[in-house]
Amino acid sequence: MASLRLALRSLGASRLYNRPFVRWCIPSSKVRAFSTKLSPPSKAVVYEQHGPPDQVTKVIDLPPVELGANDVCVKMLAAPINPSDINRIEGVYPVRPQVPAIGGYEGVGEVHALGSAVNSLSVGDWVIPSPPSFGTWQTYIVKEESIWHKINKNVPMEYAATVTVNPLTALLMLEDFVKLNSGESIVQNGATSIVGQCIIQLAKIQGIRSINIIRDRAGSEEAKEKLKRLGADEVYTESQLEVKNVKSLLGDLPEPLLGLNCVGGNAASLVLKFLRQGGTMVTYGGMSKKPITVSTSSFIFKDLSLRGFWLQKWMSSEKAKDCREMIDYILSLVQSGKLKYEMELVPFNDFSVALGRALGKLGSHPKQVIKF
Amino acid sequence: MASLRLALRSLGASRLYNRPFVRWCIPSSKVRAFSTKLSPPSKAVVYEQHGPPDQVTKVIDLPPVELGANDVCVKMLAAPINPSDINRIEGVYPVRPQVPAIGGYEGVGEVHALGSAVNSLSVGDWVIPSPPSFGTWQTYIVKEESIWHKINKNVPMEYAATVTVNPLTALLMLEDFVKLNSGESIVQNGATSIVGQCIIQLAKIQGIRSINIIRDRAGSEEAKEKLKRLGADEVYTESQLEVKNVKSLLGDLPEPLLGLNCVGGNAASLVLKFLRQGGTMVTYGGMSKKPITVSTSSFIFKDLSLRGFWLQKWMSSEKAKDCREMIDYILSLVQSGKLKYEMELVPFNDFSVALGRALGKLGSHPKQVIKF
């Protein structure tokens, strides 16, 4: 117990009791009488205060955790560093675990040990926390059986690790706001992002055509080609859309009923310009850090609706009951080669390198996924 | 027939045939065989081209019109000059009659004569065109029975003349976007407008509390008092809301779920600041001629929805079938003294004076209503 107390003290244990991630490292006295299974010791990326992630995070050792009857110990295989993970550590995300906390929100692991009453999972199964939950950046996690969703092992682990935050967001935005029929179109900015790439591919599967807007930059022609290979119908840089009537560019593409915005500023205005009468723009990101500016007549006479999407809120809603079915659908698309996006697997030992890349400090890199 | 041809020629008759307002002045040959009733000659405010209303409108004489079996000839009693009427004449309104056209969109009249097959109306009934339709600025109108909605005569004619464009807009915005329960609150800017005053009173009737924003100006204290007498719970000038957290001003008022914006610019931002998580702002006007600026996080994390309302579009939708019932409800509120707003009745002979006032060229005046 000495090492446990020590580890918890270093995490500020007196303030930690009863917080979600401590649930995994403090034995429950109720359960102790029925089970004496322990998890292996774990390594975790922890931050004790909010701030620049490369300054406030550190990898620490956590002691073994006793498994309750309904608990499952999962050996983590992979977990991504998403922008929202970074924002949580920075303290700028609206909902975040209280510090000290373990980083990460999604990931995939392999069942390592089972509490005595667990019957829906077996050792060796691949599982993801679903809905996702805080604290996936550690080597072993102990959580209740109901948290874990067993998935098909026939997908690369980096896809299993990243299936929720980006691809599910893409799927939900295509389905939750307007009814899109085959042959109709959507417009999006930030199309090279993983969500953007997923939107192109998921739309195509449904027969929905996509108009895509990307930043002007070196390599924009290559980016266009890449998105077209994924199924994009049209890809424009912002400067190409500095024309009097963007709709004149549409050719035989129908005017889009749905627009998706993860940029703000001018890139959001371009999405609005493409939308048809009665269209909806859904904002799910603000990469430019600029606001959205809309004329009053867009609302009154063009009847546009502007909405927002936040996966974490969706996950706390009634609708989230369908989330596992959607995850399975997305992974089936990955398995059949219909959904792909670039990632870079980085050994956990090189976490600080992966974090530096995710922070954009080391040039342009694909999504960083920690391999435990 | 000579005078008819002459009048039509002066209106560009060869281009006019089959357009809505000409329906009232050209005898239908099909109908002629069964009816020989004629309307009295009419005087109408006509514009032959778009432009400044005080330059392009003129009052002309129109010849008698033959009544078809299903037609009703209505002697107009009163019709308002609404901002949208002015915008139609200016040619800046998205949907407008083709020129040459008669001005006006709503009004009230008295049944003067009936076609042989009309059985739902009697001479002397008060009627309004419902849904409203173009061309109410004339002394006699002949239109089909189905256009006219018989109303209670126990209201002042200026309320009957103006019941649709402003009060119905207010009622629909309170009902069509979010479900408001008694005790909840709304926030609006442009609160001194007639729609704004109607919103305060209609909300109060439903037990809904209102937070009202008005411009900074001479007389703002009197304006506040006036709105409070109508039932406003709180009235602020924009400058009073230059505080870090506007919600700290709310006291025991619940955060509003619905915001109504007819101004744009900073006044729209203030409405957004008051809204609660998941709230909706409906834009129905843009008096400041400034756009609406919204942060991306307002959509993502605060889950705000921004929508628009346009009565003319609503009137062409399936929902408009309920419009007459709503009109009757609103007029019953007028009759019982629960809904009031200021207007100024001006004789038709002084149309140019009323128009000058409506254009804001003659200082501040209440809504101008032409009395025929």
Side-chain angles (χ1 to χ4, degrees):
Chain A
M1 286 302 285
S3 69
L4 172 64
R5 280 195 213 101
L6 199 66
L8 288 173
R9 202 174 304 134
S10 79
L11 271 169
S14 64
R15 294 189 293 134
L16 276 172
Y17 202 79
N18 278 336
R19 292 201 193 130
F21 91 87
V22 181
R23 169 72 190 78
W24 320 325
C25 38
I26 295 189
S28 152
S29 58
K30 272 196 186 165
V31 163
R32 206 177 323 191
F34 306 103
S35 164
T36 54
K37 272 192 194 165
L38 285 180
S39 77
S42 184
K43 277 187 189 296
V45 177
V46 173
Y47 52 105
E48 294 184 39
Q49 59 189 54
H50 295 299
D54 49 355
Q55 291 173 32
V56 299
T57 57
K58 59 185 173 184
V59 177
I60 66 160
D61 291 306
L62 290 174
V65 178
E66 205 164 335
L67 269 72
N70 296 307
D71 285 342
V72 177
C73 173
V74 172
K75 179 185 185 307
M76 290 302 286
L77 298 170
I81 305 179
N82 285 317
S84 49
D85 295 322
I86 290 172
N87 293 151
R88 284 188 194 97
I89 299 170
E90 291 169 337
V92 299
Y93 212 65
V95 176
R96 49 187 189 263
Q98 274 189 287
V99 290
I102 299 174
Y105 181 63
E106 66 173 337
V108 65
E110 189 177 78
V111 173
H112 177 79
L114 303 168
S116 57
V118 174
N119 52 31
S120 70
L121 295 169
S122 306
V123 170
D125 285 348
W126 276 19
V127 291
I128 63 170
S130 182
S133 47
F134 301 123
T136 55
W137 294 351
Q138 58 179 329
T139 52
Y140 289 92
I141 300 180
V142 175
K143 283 202 185 190
E144 273 212 341
E145 180 181 11
S146 63
I147 297 290
W148 301 106
H149 174 51
K150 179 179 167 180
I151 59 159
N152 190 325
K153 290 168 89 160
N154 295 323
V155 293
M157 68 168 75
E158 62 272 27
Y159 281 94
T162 58
V163 66
T164 307
V165 171
N166 287 320
L168 185 60
T169 291
L171 185 62
L172 289 171
M173 291 195 299
L174 285 173
E175 297 195 343
D176 266 23
F177 293 90
V178 303
K179 169 92 188 85
L180 289 167
N181 297 312
S182 181
E184 290 189 309
S185 78
I186 58 146
V187 56
Q188 66 167 337
N189 59 29
T192 58
S193 69
I194 291 188
V195 173
Q197 293 180 45
C198 289
I199 285 165
I200 291 169
Q201 296 169 86
L202 293 171
K204 194 180 172 66
I205 289 165
Q206 298 174 38
I208 295 159
R209 305 169 78 181
S210 65
I211 302 152
N212 299 276
I213 305 169
I214 64 174
R215 277 180 299 133
D216 289 274
R217 58 181 155 187
S220 61
E221 284 309 310
E222 291 75 8
K224 281 185 192 179
E225 282 314 308
K226 190 180 146 192
L227 296 184
K228 286 195 173 175
R229 281 195 301 273
L230 291 179
D233 291 274
E234 293 294 344
V235 188
Y236 304 102
T237 60
E238 289 186 35
S239 66
Q240 280 185 290
L241 298 174
E242 283 167 9
V243 295
K244 195 169 167 111
N245 179 9
V246 296
K247 292 187 180 173
S248 66
L249 304 169
L250 281 180
D252 71 333
L253 275 176
E255 292 176 54
L257 188 59
L258 177 67
L260 301 167
N261 164 46
C262 65
V263 182
N266 180 55
S269 301
L270 292 172
V271 167
L272 292 172
K273 280 184 189 168
F274 270 112
L275 284 181
R276 88 161 84 131
Q277 177 83 21
T280 295
M281 180 170 85
V282 178
T283 291
Y284 68 99
M287 292 197 291
S288 73
K289 301 195 192 296
K290 288 180 186 153
I292 298 161
T293 302
V294 201
S295 68
T296 52
S297 65
S298 297
F299 291 112
I300 306 169
F301 302 128
K302 203 176 165 187
D303 192 26
L304 297 187
S305 290
L306 269 62
R307 312 275 302 273
F309 181 79
W310 185 23
L311 186 72
Q312 196 165 330
K313 180 173 163 285
W314 187 90
M315 282 295 181
S316 67
S317 76
E318 172 63 16
K319 296 178 191 166
K321 66 181 182 344
D322 301 328
C323 126
R324 293 183 176 188
E325 210 172 302
M326 292 181 184
I327 293 291
D328 292 344
Y329 167 69
I330 293 167
L331 290 175
S332 76
L333 297 177
V334 171
Q335 198 185 343
S336 62
K338 288 183 185 153
L339 185 73
K340 54 192 171 188
Y341 45 87
E342 259 182 275
M343 290 167 282
E344 190 167 13
L345 274 170
V346 182
F348 187 34
N349 283 342
D350 295 332
F351 174 77
S352 61
V353 177
L355 182 61
R357 288 179 186 152
L359 291 167
K361 293 192 169 178
L362 303 165
S364 180
H365 279 272
K367 167 78 67 191
Q368 299 291 295
V369 181
I370 306 160
K371 184 175 182 309
F372 295 96
Chain B
M1 285 301 285
S3 69
L4 170 65
R5 278 194 216 103
L6 199 66
L8 288 174
R9 203 175 304 135
S10 78
L11 272 169
S14 64
R15 293 190 292 135
L16 277 172
Y17 201 79
N18 279 335
R19 292 199 195 131
F21 93 86
V22 180
R23 168 74 188 77
W24 321 326
C25 38
I26 295 189
S28 153
S29 58
K30 272 193 185 168
V31 164
R32 205 179 323 191
F34 306 102
S35 164
T36 53
K37 271 191 193 165
L38 286 181
S39 78
S42 184
K43 276 188 190 294
V45 177
V46 173
Y47 51 105
E48 293 184 39
Q49 60 189 54
H50 295 299
D54 49 356
Q55 291 174 32
V56 300
T57 58
K58 58 184 174 186
V59 176
I60 66 160
D61 291 306
L62 290 174
V65 178
E66 204 165 335
L67 268 73
N70 297 306
D71 285 341
V72 176
C73 174
V74 172
K75 178 184 186 308
M76 290 303 286
L77 297 171
I81 305 179
N82 285 316
S84 49
D85 295 322
I86 289 171
N87 294 152
R88 284 189 192 96
I89 298 170
E90 290 169 336
V92 299
Y93 212 65
V95 176
R96 49 187 189 265
Q98 274 188 287
V99 290
I102 299 175
Y105 181 62
E106 66 173 339
V108 65
E110 188 178 77
V111 173
H112 176 81
L114 304 168
S116 58
V118 174
N119 51 30
S120 70
L121 294 170
S122 305
V123 171
D125 285 347
W126 275 20
V127 290
I128 63 170
S130 182
S133 48
F134 301 123
T136 54
W137 293 351
Q138 58 180 327
T139 51
Y140 289 91
I141 300 180
V142 174
K143 283 201 185 192
E144 274 214 338
E145 179 181 13
S146 63
I147 297 290
W148 300 106
H149 174 50
K150 178 180 168 180
I151 58 159
N152 190 326
K153 290 168 88 160
N154 295 323
V155 292
M157 69 168 75
E158 62 272 29
Y159 281 95
T162 58
V163 65
T164 308
V165 171
N166 288 320
L168 185 60
T169 291
L171 185 63
L172 289 171
M173 291 195 299
L174 285 173
E175 297 197 342
D176 266 24
F177 293 90
V178 304
K179 168 93 187 87
L180 290 167
N181 297 312
S182 179
E184 291 189 308
S185 78
I186 58 145
V187 56
Q188 67 166 338
N189 59 29
T192 57
S193 69
I194 291 188
V195 173
Q197 294 181 45
C198 290
I199 284 166
I200 291 169
Q201 297 170 85
L202 293 171
K204 194 178 173 68
I205 290 165
Q206 299 175 37
I208 295 159
R209 303 169 77 182
S210 65
I211 301 152
N212 299 278
I213 305 170
I214 65 174
R215 275 180 301 130
D216 289 274
R217 59 180 155 186
S220 61
E221 284 310 311
E222 290 75 9
K224 280 184 192 179
E225 282 314 307
K226 190 180 148 193
L227 296 184
K228 286 193 173 174
R229 280 195 300 274
L230 290 179
D233 291 274
E234 294 292 345
V235 189
Y236 304 103
T237 60
E238 289 186 36
S239 66
Q240 279 185 289
L241 298 174
E242 281 167 12
V243 295
K244 198 172 165 105
N245 179 9
V246 296
K247 291 187 181 174
S248 65
L249 304 170
L250 282 180
D252 71 334
L253 275 176
E255 292 176 53
L257 187 61
L258 178 66
L260 301 168
N261 165 47
C262 65
V263 182
N266 178 58
S269 301
L270 292 173
V271 167
L272 293 172
K273 279 184 189 169
F274 270 113
L275 284 181
R276 88 161 84 132
Q277 177 83 22
T280 296
M281 181 171 85
V282 178
T283 291
Y284 68 100
M287 290 196 293
S288 73
K289 299 194 192 298
K290 288 180 186 154
I292 298 161
T293 301
V294 201
S295 68
T296 52
S297 66
S298 297
F299 291 112
I300 306 169
F301 302 128
K302 202 175 165 188
D303 193 25
L304 296 187
S305 290
L306 270 63
R307 311 276 301 274
F309 181 79
W310 185 23
L311 184 72
Q312 197 165 331
K313 180 174 164 284
W314 186 91
M315 282 294 180
S316 66
S317 76
E318 172 62 17
K319 296 177 191 166
K321 66 182 180 343
D322 301 328
C323 126
R324 293 183 176 188
E325 209 172 303
M326 293 181 182
I327 293 292
D328 291 344
Y329 168 69
I330 293 168
L331 289 176
S332 75
L333 297 177
V334 170
Q335 199 186 344
S336 61
K338 288 182 184 155
L339 185 73
K340 54 190 171 190
Y341 44 87
E342 260 182 275
M343 289 167 283
E344 190 167 13
L345 274 170
V346 182
F348 187 35
N349 283 343
D350 295 332
F351 174 76
S352 62
V353 177
L355 181 62
R357 289 179 186 152
L359 290 168
K361 294 191 167 177
L362 302 166
S364 180
H365 279 272
K367 167 79 68 192
Q368 298 291 296
V369 181
I370 306 161
K371 185 173 181 310
F372 295 95

